[in-house]
Amino acid sequence: MKTKIFLLILISVIAAEIVKAQNPISSVVASYQYVNLVPVQIAGMSSEQLQLENKNFNVIATLQSTTGVSKIAVMMGSGNGSNDLFYKEFILNEEGTSDDGTFYSSNGNNLNFGIGQYSGPPRYYVEVFAIMEDGSFSESVRTEL
C-alpha cells in the first residue's frame, strides 16, 4: 500500500513538472510591409535598393496557455539570437500603443506586436519568449524573415 501511495505521489509530481515545463508559446510569425512603396515599385528595385527602404514590422505569437505568464519579450536582430535592432517586454494584460510607437493587442491566445520601422539587412531574425510570474523565462521561439 505504501508503495502504491509513493508511486502515485511521484507520478503526480512528474506530471506537474511536465505541465510546468511546457512552452507557453506555440508559434511565431513575423512579417513586414514597405512603408512608402507600392508593389510596382518593389518589383523594379534591386535587393540592395530595397534594403535602404523603411519597413513596418509585425509579429504574431500564439500562446498555448497564458497560465503563469506575466510578460512576452520580443526581440529582433540582424543575426540569429541577436537583439541589436529591437528588444521589448510587453505586459500580457496591458494592450495598446506605447510612447515609443510600438503596440500590442490580443485576440484570444493570438498576440499581435507592432515593433516599428527598420531598414537594413536582407535578413531579420525574430525571437519571442515568455517571462513567467516567478521571473523565469520560457524557451524562445524563433523565426527568420
Side-chain angles (χ1 to χ4, degrees), residues 107-129:
N107 183 6
N109 284 1
N110 293 318
L111 311 180
N112 185 27
F113 304 95
I115 62 172
Q117 291 184 11
Y118 299 92
S119 62
R123 293 215 181 286
Y124 298 90
Y125 300 85
V126 176
E127 188 169 343
V128 178
F129 60 92

Side-chain angles (χ1 to χ4, degrees), residues 83-97:
N83 65 351
D84 58 319
L85 299 174
F86 181 83
Y87 178 87
K88 185 168 183 176
E89 297 173 3
F90 295 87
I91 299 171
L92 188 63
N93 296 319
E94 292 184 14
E95 297 181 44
T97 301

